[in-house]
Amino acid sequence: MKHLRAIERLRGFYQRRVPSALRQRLRKAAKEIPIRLRDLPADLRELLDPRIVPLPPARLRGRVGINSSRTHFLEVGSRAADDIVTFLAGLDLNAYPRWLDFGCGAGRVARHLVQREFVRRMTGIDIDRAAIRWSARHLPGEYTRIRSTPPTFLGPGTFDAICAVSVFTHFDEATQNAWLAELRRLLRPGGIFIASTQAPDLTFNRPDLTLHDHQHLQERGFVFRIGIGPFNEDSAFHSAAYLRREWSRYFDLLTFKPAGLVEYLDLSLWRRPADGSEEEEPRR
């Protein structure tokens, strides 16, 4: 009993003195150690053998997944690319040769999409300097760092297709709208835009949402909650009705598939209207 009481006192001291954010990072680090030890031999082989097309280093893999696992990074990226292509069934994909991966990171999805014959030019943009540097060095295509707010340096109507995987899942509403307007500018009239979003039934991922947050989500179909860490720990949730109402100011909705990306995130497919000029303002 004395031993148990001592453990409880230590646990209480730890929780009082160590901030919640730091405790979360320590728990994540403890889970990462065995994963990184397991993946270390393969990481070293790629580092030492220039003939091997490498994966990003563990620190970059861990920024976009639940952990830094090589298997997880490859499987999620491959499944996401397959889901996007399947989602576009019925379109003549050869009519969309110029692709932009918005928020490409270290190419988790781009490395698979760029292998498709219909993708004849791949461009990736992201705010993550290290991830962009790695992608530009190792992946086919052009990869460039951008600022966290638009506009980008890219010209209007530059792309036939734009995909945004796990990007709008982290934007507040003002940032979302600014980037929707910019992506509309970058997309040629008649071009397509594929985006993933978090459905309202995924709010269990953010147990810190307040009653007001849930009411706002129910009433407006959107809620945003900032995280305690980097950008990708912020969370945004979108209902299908919200997307149809709000995003249709920028694009025309072609189709929507609940849990269409890796059986988890919603997928929506949009088209920029072909009857307007490249400088046309979004609809109000």
Side-chain angles (χ1 to χ4, degrees):
M1 288 295 293
K2 290 182 179 180
H3 178 67
L4 292 176
R5 285 197 293 270
I7 292 175
E8 286 299 320
R9 285 196 296 271
L10 284 173
R11 182 181 293 121
F13 178 82
Y14 172 74
Q15 291 176 344
R16 289 193 304 271
R17 295 302 180 93
V18 180
S20 173
L22 180 57
R23 294 201 305 271
Q24 182 174 325
R25 293 189 181 96
L26 290 172
R27 286 194 297 269
K28 184 175 182 179
K31 293 178 181 178
E32 275 288 302
I33 290 172
I35 295 171
R36 296 201 180 194
L37 288 174
R38 182 191 64 210
D39 287 343
L40 182 60
D43 286 339
L44 290 175
R45 278 197 303 272
E46 291 178 349
L47 187 65
L48 299 174
D49 190 344
R51 297 169 299 177
I52 301 175
V53 179
L55 291 187
R59 61 186 175 83
L60 296 182
R61 299 194 302 262
R63 292 182 189 180
V64 295
I66 58 174
N67 56 48
S68 66
S69 163
R70 294 173 58 89
T71 299
H72 179 73
F73 184 87
L74 278 172
E75 286 184 351
V76 171
S78 177
R79 286 184 63 189
D82 288 344
D83 287 344
I84 288 170
V85 174
T86 300
F87 190 51
L88 301 179
L91 296 178
D92 177 10
L93 294 182
N94 289 312
Y96 307 94
R98 302 171 301 167
W99 278 67
L100 173 68
D101 186 347
F102 174 56
C104 64
R108 179 171 62 165
V109 178
R111 70 184 295 125
H112 300 283
L113 282 177
V114 79
Q115 297 177 28
R116 307 284 177 152
E117 291 184 0
F118 58 84
V119 178
R120 291 191 280 279
R121 193 182 88 188
M122 172 62 76
T123 301
I125 55 177
D126 200 289
I127 63 173
D128 189 327
R129 186 187 302 273
I132 284 293
R133 187 185 299 119
W134 188 92
S135 295
R137 188 176 300 157
H138 296 286
L139 298 179
E142 300 176 0
Y143 300 88
T144 307
R145 182 175 178 263
I146 57 170
R147 298 178 302 176
S148 59
T149 55
T152 65
F153 59 91
L154 300 164
T158 304
F159 301 101
D160 304 298
I162 298 175
C163 64
V165 175
S166 297
V167 180
F168 286 90
T169 50
H170 306 295
F171 283 157
D172 62 36
E173 198 164 21
T175 305
Q176 163 198 274
N177 292 338
W179 278 113
L180 286 172
E182 173 65 1
L183 296 183
R184 184 181 188 278
R185 184 185 72 84
L186 298 179
L187 193 62
R188 67 156 170 89
I192 55 173
F193 169 48
I194 309 103
S196 67
T197 50
Q198 287 192 103
D201 60 6
L202 295 180
T203 53
F204 62 83
N205 289 317
R206 292 302 303 262
D208 58 330
L209 289 179
T210 66
L211 178 59
H212 175 75
D213 291 331
H214 285 283
Q215 290 174 338
H216 191 71
L217 178 59
Q218 184 175 15
E219 292 167 3
R220 288 207 67 239
F222 176 86
V223 74
F224 169 80
R225 187 75 169 176
I226 195 168
I228 60 173
F231 158 80
N232 60 3
E233 291 186 10
D234 298 342
S235 299
F237 300 89
H238 302 73
S239 70
Y242 174 91
L243 292 172
R244 293 187 181 96
R245 184 180 71 245
E246 299 296 331
W247 288 28
S248 291
R249 294 190 290 123
Y250 305 90
F251 304 99
D252 291 337
L253 180 62
L254 299 182
T255 186
F256 176 84
K257 185 176 182 181
L261 191 80
V262 198
E263 298 181 345
Y264 186 68
L265 296 178
D266 293 344
L267 273 181
S268 53
L269 173 62
W270 308 80
R271 189 190 301 279
R272 177 172 174 182
D275 57 353
S277 72
E278 293 183 357
E279 299 300 328
E280 179 187 1
E281 290 294 322
R283 295 181 286 260
R284 301 296 179 186

